[in-house]
Amino acid sequence: MTYSIAQAAERSGLSIDTLRYYERIGLVDPPARDSGGRRSYSDDDLGWLFFLTRLRTTGMPIRMMREYAQLRHRGAATAGRRKQMLFEHRTSVRERITELQSCLDVLEYKIAHYEQVEHTFEGITA
């Protein structure tokens, strides 16, 4: 199945401008063109875009994503380096999750504190 740039944007959750930007900087290959010269994205293209959005969501810098994309173009011979990049990034993501969990714990504590304050205040005014 093929998708227009608008459909690819909708399905990937990226804007049309972001799709064009990713193409311009080499994160995605220029998609095929239909008979009218319009971009035509494949299911494989959408799969790659899905992966890129996950990398971006995890905080991978564009610079690293570009390196990964370049290695991907070189084929299976670069699998080890790509795996190493993901391994290192996974470590970073795990550290961020730990940090965010600590922040969440503080928020939970403060919310519980304010619930207790509200409960105490309600008892005084009753």
Side-chain angles (χ1 to χ4, degrees), residues 66-125:
R66 287 181 66 194
E67 179 183 350
Y68 188 94
Q70 290 167 357
L71 291 168
R72 178 177 174 251
H73 278 90
R74 293 190 215 151
T78 66
R81 174 64 185 132
R82 287 183 279 157
K83 178 183 170 188
Q84 183 63 32
M85 288 179 72
L86 295 177
F87 182 83
E88 291 168 5
H89 187 64
R90 180 179 67 183
T91 299
S92 171
V93 169
R94 285 181 172 160
E95 289 169 357
R96 282 188 48 228
I97 289 170
T98 300
E99 181 181 1
L100 287 171
Q101 185 61 56
S102 175
C103 293
L104 183 59
D105 292 345
V106 169
L107 291 173
E108 296 290 357
Y109 170 80
K110 291 302 276 185
I111 290 168
H113 170 75
Y114 288 122
E115 287 173 348
Q116 184 178 6
V117 168
E118 286 176 336
H119 179 73
T120 301
F121 181 72
E122 289 171 3
I124 293 173
T125 59

Side-chain angles (χ1 to χ4, degrees), residues 31-48:
R33 300 284 178 148
D34 65 16
S35 60
R38 294 176 294 269
R39 289 170 174 86
S40 179
Y41 293 84
S42 68
D43 287 325
D44 286 344
D45 293 331
L46 291 183
W48 175 241

